[in-house]
Amino acid sequence: LEEKGKELNKFFFKHIFTGLPFVTLKIAQSIDGKITEEKGKQTWLTGKESAKYVHLLRSQNDAVLVGAGTINVDNPFLNVRHVEGRDPIKIIIDGKMTTDTDSNVYNTSKTTILFTSIATTYQKKDELSQKNVKIIELESDSNGYINVENMLTTLGQIGITSVLVEGGAEVFSSFYQKSLWDEMVILQAPILLGKGINSIENSEKRELELFSVEKLGNDVKYIFKNDNKSKN
C-alpha cells in the first residue's frame, strides 16, 4: 500500500522532504484550452459540480493562491461555501500593488498574505495592515513579477504545506514553466471559445502523466502528476 500511503500523505511528505508546500494548479478551461474570452473579462465555463469540487479542494489545502488580475476581474472571496470545511489562507501575488483595498479577499476574518515587490511604494500599506493582511516583500524582475521560487520557500518556512493555485494565466504559466507544481487539475467544460486567453503559455511540447479522469456533470476532470520535476 506504499503508493496509496504516499497519495494520502502527499502534502506532508512534500513539505517534510523539501521544505516547500505541495502545489496544485487548478485550471477551468474550454476544450480549446482557453480560460476566458478576452483579457480582463470574467468568463464562466464550468458547471455546479465542478464548483463544488473546487470548494472541496480549497477546504483540503492550507492556502489558495491567485494573481492580482484575478482579484481585479473576478473579485473572489476564495473561501469555502459549497461544502463543509475550513477556509484556506488566501495568498495574493500583486507585485505592483494594483488590487483594490476593498476587494473581497481583504475584507474577511481569515488571514490574507500579499506578496509584492520590494520596489513598490506603499500608499495602500497602512489600510491593508488594518485588515488582517500580512504583506511580504520579495525581489521581482524588471516587469514587477515576483520570484515564485522565493515565494514558495517563504510559504514553506511559515508552515504552509499545500497551496491551491487558482489563476490567472500569468500565474499558471509561471508555475508551469519552472516546473514548480506537483499536480494539475484540469476542469474542462464542453465549450469551444475559439478565441481568448490560453490557460498556460508554453512553447515546448511535453507529455503529462495522467493520474485520473472523471466526469463532473457536463465537465471532465483530469488530474496530472508532475513526473518531470526531478529533471528540472
Side-chain angles (χ1 to χ4, degrees):
L1 299 177
E2 179 181 357
E3 291 305 315
K4 288 186 177 180
K6 287 181 179 179
E7 180 65 20
L8 287 171
N9 295 285
K10 57 189 178 184
F11 297 166
F12 174 78
F13 287 148
K14 171 70 183 296
H15 187 249
I16 289 298
F17 290 132
T18 69
L20 302 173
F22 188 99
V23 176
T24 302
L25 307 183
K26 187 281 298 178
I27 304 173
Q29 65 180 37
S30 63
I31 293 174
D32 48 348
K34 312 294 183 183
I35 60 173
T36 185
E37 292 179 89
E38 60 185 73
K39 188 173 182 178
K41 179 179 181 180
Q42 188 178 47
T43 305
W44 293 104
L45 296 172
T46 51
K48 293 181 179 179
E49 291 83 359
S50 290
K52 185 175 180 179
Y53 174 70
V54 170
H55 283 251
L56 176 64
L57 284 178
R58 289 180 183 176
S59 72
Q60 294 172 341
N61 281 265
D62 286 347
V64 58
L65 182 151
V66 298
T70 298
I71 300 300
N72 293 331
V73 174
D74 298 340
N75 194 22
F77 287 94
L78 299 180
N79 58 6
V80 173
R81 299 186 299 279
H82 300 311
V83 298
E84 291 292 327
R86 60 172 183 167
D87 286 338
I89 294 171
K90 293 160 292 204
I91 301 172
I92 314 302
I93 303 178
D94 188 5
K96 299 178 181 179
M97 292 287 284
T98 62
T99 50
D100 193 324
T101 57
D102 288 328
S103 299
N104 291 325
V105 291
Y106 299 136
N107 289 285
T108 60
S109 58
K110 191 71 176 183
T111 300
T112 299
I113 298 174
L114 172 65
F115 283 97
T116 192
S117 169
I118 290 174
T120 304
T121 55
Y122 286 106
Q123 293 86 0
K124 302 176 181 178
K125 183 176 181 180
D126 291 339
E127 187 174 348
L128 287 174
S129 65
Q130 297 174 17
K131 294 187 174 187
N132 202 27
V133 178
K134 179 180 178 62
I135 298 174
I136 299 178
E137 301 175 355
L138 292 178
E139 294 284 353
S140 62
D141 62 20
S142 58
N143 294 316
Y145 294 127
I146 297 298
N147 185 304
V148 177
E149 293 174 87
N150 291 344
M151 181 190 68
L152 289 177
T153 298
T154 301
L155 292 175
Q157 289 171 345
I158 62 178
I160 292 178
T161 66
S162 56
V163 176
L164 178 65
V165 179
E166 291 202 32
E170 289 180 352
V171 174
F172 291 143
S173 298
S174 65
F175 278 91
Y176 179 82
Q177 290 165 2
K178 295 182 179 179
S179 202
L180 296 172
W181 59 280
D182 298 282
E183 279 188 4
M184 182 187 302
V185 177
I186 300 288
L187 300 174
Q188 184 171 282
I191 298 170
L192 281 166
L193 285 181
K195 64 176 183 177
I197 304 300
N198 292 329
S199 58
I200 294 175
E201 292 300 330
N202 177 52
S203 59
E204 296 182 359
K205 181 181 179 180
R206 178 175 171 186
E207 185 175 346
L208 301 181
E209 178 190 347
L210 180 62
F211 178 72
S212 68
V213 58
E214 176 187 354
K215 280 206 70 179
L216 290 178
N218 292 326
D219 306 324
V220 180
K221 177 187 74 174
Y222 298 93
I223 298 181
F224 298 95
K225 297 286 189 178
N226 187 357
D227 61 337
N228 280 356
K229 292 191 68 178
S230 61
K231 304 174 186 178
N232 290 276

